[in-house]
Amino acid sequence: TATITNIILPLSINTFTVSGNIESVKASFQFESSELVCELKLERSTDRINFNIIETKTTWQGWSEGWFQFEDTDPLGGLSYYRVRIIHCDQEITFSKIVPLQLPKTNRFIVSSNELTYDVKENGLFELVNSMGQIVASKQLTEGSGSTSFTKPAKGIYFLRFRSIFEKKILIE
């Protein structure tokens, strides 16, 4: 004599897809759960180990099913990995599968006060140019990621130039 027992799985992920370009990445996630879900977090990694939170969706009532759209408005060039962290209302945590996404590499710069953080795909010259066209800071950068400091310029609007091809207007306060 055989006994059949029905077991309800706590979470069923129906779909998790990621697509986009260097401007924006969209992630779609659909699930059904026998336990209420109170929070969903889209996470991104470059190494499949260390993930950073990109967007969070929260409810106080809990979801038992749903279709959700996330957006990464500042995606990374190169290979990134996305997943959804699912936090049940009883604080149990589960994860979706990890989905890879390959985007073209681009030159990225962040200027904060007197520090430049960069990720460049080629060697080149970084220049900070004031509104009168004068170069107030310059550094030779090599391909890859890093940071460098320079003398803090006066408050004002500056242009960031890289290899005389890339130029971006910024405000330093």
Side-chain angles (χ1 to χ4, degrees):
T1 307
T3 304
I4 298 174
T5 305
N6 289 331
I7 298 173
I8 299 173
L9 296 175
L11 179 69
S12 171
I13 298 171
N14 297 338
T15 62
F16 178 44
T17 59
V18 178
S19 63
N21 56 44
I22 200 64
E23 299 297 321
S24 172
V25 169
K26 302 239 191 268
S28 297
F29 179 71
Q30 183 180 14
F31 76 94
E32 295 174 23
S33 178
S34 63
E35 299 172 5
L36 291 178
V37 172
C38 284
E39 195 169 68
L40 300 170
K41 296 177 184 277
L42 178 67
E43 299 180 334
R44 179 185 64 209
S45 171
T46 56
D47 61 6
R48 293 182 61 109
I49 298 167
N50 302 298
F51 283 84
N52 295 311
I53 297 168
I54 302 300
E55 185 180 351
T56 301
K57 297 193 183 292
T58 307
T59 181
W60 295 107
Q61 300 151 358
W63 298 295
S64 61
E65 63 181 5
W67 181 83
F68 298 88
Q69 185 87 23
F70 295 95
E71 184 174 15
D72 182 355
T73 58
D74 192 24
L76 303 175
L79 183 59
S80 292
Y81 301 92
Y82 289 87
R83 73 178 182 192
V84 176
R85 176 188 299 250
I86 303 140
I87 303 171
H88 298 268
C89 295
D90 65 2
Q91 299 306 306
E92 179 186 341
I93 297 173
T94 55
F95 296 94
S96 70
K97 67 180 180 179
I98 296 173
V99 176
L101 181 65
Q102 178 74 47
L103 295 175
K105 286 191 173 186
T106 60
N107 296 325
R108 300 173 68 84
F109 302 91
I110 299 171
V111 178
S112 174
S113 184
N114 68 328
E115 184 169 280
L116 167 71
T117 303
Y118 60 89
D119 182 11
V120 293
K121 62 181 180 179
E122 56 193 337
N123 297 340
L125 180 66
F126 156 78
E127 296 175 326
L128 193 61
V129 181
N130 67 17
S131 58
M132 297 184 339
Q134 300 167 319
I135 298 171
V136 296
S138 80
K139 295 279 183 176
Q140 186 67 38
L141 304 179
T142 56
E143 179 182 358
S145 300
S147 64
T148 185
S149 351
F150 50 88
T151 305
K152 182 176 180 178
K155 290 183 179 183
I157 295 175
Y158 293 84
F159 293 89
L160 185 152
R161 186 167 45 208
F162 183 68
R163 292 195 62 199
S164 301
I165 298 170
F166 175 80
E167 193 169 286
K168 182 176 182 180
K169 183 178 177 180
I170 61 170
L171 173 65
I172 296 179
E173 296 186 47

